[in-house]
Structure formats: C-alpha cells, structure tokens
Amino acid sequence: MNVLVTRKLPSSVLAKLHAIGSVDLYAGNAAIAPSELRARLVDTDALVCLLTDTIDRAAIDAAPKLKIIANIAVGYDNVDVAYARSRGIVVTNTPDVLTESVADFTWALILAITRRLSEGERVVRRGAWEGWGLGFMLGTELQGKQLGLVGFGRIGRAVAARASAFRMRVAYAARGTTQLPDAQPLSLDQLLNTSDVVSLHVPLTPETRHLIDKKALTRMKRSAYLINTSRGPIVDEAALAWALREHLLAGAALDVYEHEPAIHPDLLALENVLLVPHLGSATTETRTAMADLAVQNVIEVLGGRPAITPV
Ligand code: DGY
C-alpha cells in the first residue's frame, strides 16, 4: 500500500505507517503545490493531509487508487467531501483530541484581548512605557459578563465549561435543539446584541461563510469583543477592520484568517485586534494525537475495517 503524507509527522506516528506500507513523505516546510500533489497521488492508496492542502476534484481525479483522505484537523472544509464520497473514498478528520487545547487557547485569547496583553507588550518592547499609572491601559473584567458562543459543538461546550471559573454566564446560538443547564440558547441576533464576548465555534460551510459580516458586527455591543478560533472566512475581515476602526466593538482576537497566511492589511494596522498564527491546537500533545488519529484511520481503512472518525 502506498501512503502519501503531505507534511512531516512525529516519527513515532510515521513509524506506524512505515509498518503497513510504503510512505511518500513530502518534506517541504510549506504546503505542497497542487501540481506536485496531483503527480504524487497517481499511485497512492491513502492520503494523510493538512488543512492547508486543498483536496479538490482535480486532486481526487488524479488518484484512481485512493481509498482514504485522512485530514489532520477537525475542520475539513479543505476537502471536497461530497466528491470524494461519490468516488467511494472515505474522508476522516480528527475530532475530540484537540477539543481541550482549542478551548484553553480560546480562553487565552479572551483574557489576552480583554486585558490588552499584546498591546501592552508592544508598548514595553518599543520602549514607550512610562511607568505605572492609575488609568494606564485599562482592560475589561469578565466576571458577571456574558460569553456568547456561536456554535455549541464539542469545542464550544469545552469553552463553556471553563466560563464559571471566570464567573461569566454562557449563552449560545446553535442549530438543533441542544439544551444545557447553565447555558442560555439565543438566536444569533440576540446573542450578538447581548454578549460581552462573542466566540465563534462553527465549521466553515457555505452557510457560515461571512456569518459575521458588517450587519452582524453592527449588532454587537460597542464594549464587546469578538474571538475567532474556528475558520477565517466565517468573519468578513474587511468589515471587521472597519468595525474596529469605527470602535463599533471594543476589540477582536483572531487565530484564523480568510486567506492564511495572509492577513488583511487593515487589521495589521489596528491596535485593538490581537493576531496569532492559527495556534488553537498547537501543543505537542494535541498535534501528536491529531497525527496519530489520522494515521490510525489510514491503518483501519487500508486494513479493510471502518474508519474511526469518518466525517
Ligand atoms: C482544526 O483541526 O480544524 C484546527 O483548526 C487545527 O488547528
């Protein structure tokens, strides 16, 4: 069996693939070019790929023997799942193993933006700090405020579970009939209108693309903060930059972007936005577990068994 792996994996994980077949490892530091990907897919039975790889029709058509696309990410908007299915190819993702690290990271962003950590660090590093001042760089407290979660899946709930430690109440807007004690279901409009921190936890789909657009942003409280650890295109970045410039909201903390790794230049120019490079699941433990789950899926499917985490 031939397995194509589009980025270096931890050696302990890679060893499991070497045990079941021949591994073609793309060793580049950046995403594999689409033409290179297609060329390498010709004789491939299983593909282990990342969210930065676009697995579209052209890629799938280049892979007549492909049986599984194992995406190392919980999100799978980079894969044409419907087309893969129509070709009898199993697509898998890596849910659960990253839930806690992304939830922790979401709180890191909430605390960092409301207490102006990156802004303060920039002041220190450019030598502009003139000393302690009673009214200097004041942030916002969390206690007694409302955390509004857009999406209430595994990660949204894990974020909610940490809210009581900061004495925040939780509201959520989600499809379906999810009911949880201590969390108030609201429409998206109500949630945007009433929340002090709005955190996004929905997958990227045609319905959620630009869910947070100009109109949505104008519904938020001027004192509110927007957090995005889900997928960049859920937020219209140009609209967000405009809203932040006009102080229609207090700030935003972003881990993900519309055109990664590019960042909208208007955002780069603003102080009231914290920008980090898609680090939500970036711990050694979680990234190893994600790679391992993807590889376990390959081992199951190539062994003729059902995938562990099919999408
Ligand atoms: C995912 O798994 O979808 C995350 O964005 C990776 O950090």
Side-chain angles (χ1 to χ4, degrees), residues 4 12 17-18 34 54 85 109 123 126 132 152 155 157 167 176 217 220-221 252 287 293 298 303-304 306-307:
L4 172 60
S12 59
L17 283 181
H18 282 296
T54 301
R85 276 202 193 120
L109 293 188
V123 168
R126 66 172 179 263
W132 194 90
F152 211 46
I155 296 173
R157 287 171 197 225
R167 302 188 183 179
L217 289 162
M220 288 178 67
K221 291 163 112 176
R287 289 286 169 84
L293 179 52
V298 167

Side-chain angles (χ1 to χ4, degrees), residues 51 72-75 94 98 229-231 256 278-281 287 290:
L51 58 90
I72 306 182
V74 68
T94 58
L98 48 61
T229 54
S230 55
R231 283 291 180 267
V256 288
H278 205 149
L279 296 176
S281 62
R287 289 286 169 84
M290 290 165 71

Side-chain angles (χ1 to χ4, degrees), residues 75-97:
Y76 45 87
D77 47 277
N78 58 313
V79 180
D80 189 337
V81 176
Y83 190 59
R85 276 202 193 120
S86 76
R87 290 267 323 274
I89 299 166
V90 177
V91 180
T92 62
N93 67 341
T94 58
D96 298 318
V97 291

